[in-house]
Amino acid sequence: MTLAILSRAKCGLSRCVNCYLESMVVTDLLVILTAVILSRISVTYAPGSFLSVTPVCSISSVLIYAARDSSVWLTVAFTFDRFVAITCQNLKTKYCTGRSAALIISSVCVLSCVKNIPFYFIYKPSYVINGVPWYCNVKSNFYDSPIWKAFDWIDCILTPWLPFILILLLNILTVRYIVVANKARRRLRNREINSDPEAESRKKSIILLFAISGSFILLWMTYVANFLYVEITKDKYTVGFNLKDPKFVFREVGNMLQLLSSCTNTCIYAVTQTKFREQMKDAFRYPFKLLFAMIR
């Protein structure tokens, strides 16, 4: 529904912003399709299906990580775009364009796919039946090999540590610029900032930026904590479902929350827009209007 609303381009957003939001919607949807529906749900409720063959679930793993990285880094790219739009007026006209947004979005998606290709080679079959390998089990050398350890650290640094640092830094700089601009505007207007519509708009921007940073760090915190636990204790991941094992529960909660992070970005950016909410209300009312028109 979000993609349909944004594609109509009636939310009062610039072409650049609309491109970023649409791309974030698509990548978030891909995260749900690959990581939740094709991976979690299919393995849990349809074991032994075609998706459980080792080469297929290995490819599925690559797609999951690629969709996740694309979702996260598009959030970073959009945050940087808004930073430029607010704080760098001279660069805004050249950088904040639909063409630049399309180029950056394409680059992020391609690089995310290339970067996660090695995940295809970290799995081995759990067992082989009639020459067919089934399920994906992490190879033991993934935890012992210096190359795989380096890759695992690079992966965790690129997602989510570096994105979080960049988002936090950009938001701090943006908020600092807005606060300084508000002080200057207050001196010029010589009245309370609460009566200044421009200041109110900037205040909403600050709230939005902090919501993005807070949501990102909270939803990724458990995932990062589990990564650090495995690296420090050298404790390998448990195989199979065991809800009585606190390590398994902790790992799965971290995975669930980081997947949920991909679903919140679009809500934070898009649903906070007044015109988007109006379009969404119209979408809900349309079937009833059509029904009443048919009855009449």
Side-chain angles (χ1 to χ4, degrees):
M1 184 180 65
T2 302
L3 184 60
I5 292 174
L6 291 173
S7 63
R8 297 179 65 189
K10 293 184 178 181
C11 296
L13 302 172
S14 66
R15 183 183 176 188
C16 176
V17 173
N18 220 59
C19 284
Y20 277 113
L21 289 179
E22 287 179 354
S23 65
M24 290 167 65
V25 171
V26 172
T27 53
D28 291 346
L29 182 59
L30 288 176
V31 171
I32 300 302
L33 290 175
T34 57
V36 179
I37 297 177
L38 295 181
S39 179
R40 301 278 171 170
I41 294 179
S42 64
V43 172
T44 303
Y45 296 101
S49 66
F50 172 74
L51 295 173
S52 299
V53 178
T54 303
V56 177
C57 68
S58 297
I59 294 175
S60 176
S61 177
V62 174
L63 295 177
I64 290 170
Y65 284 108
R68 177 205 65 176
D69 288 0
S70 296
S71 175
V72 171
W73 279 99
L74 284 176
T75 303
V76 176
F78 185 39
T79 303
F80 181 74
D81 179 86
R82 293 300 87 200
F83 166 77
V84 172
I86 294 173
T87 63
C88 307
Q89 297 300 318
N90 294 332
L91 185 60
K92 177 182 177 180
T93 55
K94 295 182 179 179
Y95 181 80
C96 302
T97 63
R99 183 177 180 180
S100 297
L103 179 61
I104 293 171
I105 291 167
S106 302
S107 301
V108 167
C109 293
V110 170
L111 290 175
S112 296
C113 292
V114 173
K115 172 254 178 185
N116 289 293
I117 289 177
F119 277 109
Y120 179 85
F121 302 99
I122 72 172
Y123 297 106
K124 65 179 180 179
S126 298
Y127 45 84
V128 179
I129 300 177
N130 296 327
V132 180
W134 288 93
Y135 298 103
C136 289
N137 191 14
V138 179
K139 296 177 181 178
S140 58
N141 66 345
F142 178 77
Y143 304 98
D144 303 326
S145 171
I147 296 177
W148 282 120
K149 281 186 177 181
F151 175 76
D152 200 24
W153 270 101
I154 291 173
D155 176 65
C156 197
I157 289 172
L158 292 177
T159 308
W161 290 353
L162 184 58
F164 170 73
I165 293 173
L166 291 175
I167 290 175
L168 185 61
L169 177 62
L170 291 171
N171 288 347
I172 290 174
L173 294 175
T174 304
V175 170
R176 179 178 176 274
Y177 177 87
I178 292 174
V179 170
V180 172
N182 280 348
K183 288 182 180 180
R185 189 174 179 84
R186 181 187 297 179
R187 288 194 298 267
L188 290 173
R189 293 175 66 91
N190 195 25
R191 55 171 149 168
E192 292 296 324
I193 194 169
N194 290 333
S195 61
D196 187 352
E198 181 68 19
E200 287 297 321
S201 176
R202 288 173 176 171
K203 182 179 179 181
K204 292 179 181 179
S205 298
I206 294 176
I207 296 173
L208 176 62
L209 291 173
F210 275 116
I212 295 164
S213 299
S215 171
F216 189 85
I217 188 173
L218 289 175
L219 294 175
W220 277 89
M221 187 180 295
T222 307
Y223 179 89
V224 174
N226 179 71
F227 171 82
L228 293 175
Y229 169 79
V230 173
E231 289 299 320
I232 294 172
T233 62
K234 308 300 179 183
D235 191 3
K236 298 180 181 179
Y237 292 113
T238 56
V239 179
F241 290 87
N242 185 5
L243 295 178
K244 295 182 179 180
D245 185 356
K247 293 182 293 184
F248 172 81
V249 174
F250 185 64
R251 184 191 76 190
E252 291 305 304
V253 168
N255 290 333
M256 179 187 68
L257 292 177
Q258 67 96 358
L259 291 175
L260 182 62
S261 175
S262 298
C263 304
T264 59
N265 295 332
T266 303
C267 293
I268 293 174
Y269 279 118
V271 178
T272 52
Q273 303 294 323
T274 303
K275 291 187 178 181
F276 180 89
R277 294 198 299 270
E278 293 175 356
Q279 291 289 318
M280 189 166 58
K281 291 177 183 178
D282 290 340
F284 280 119
R285 286 193 287 257
Y286 180 76
F288 297 101
K289 291 180 178 179
L290 186 61
L291 180 62
F292 291 147
M294 292 175 63
I295 294 174
R296 290 180 182 179

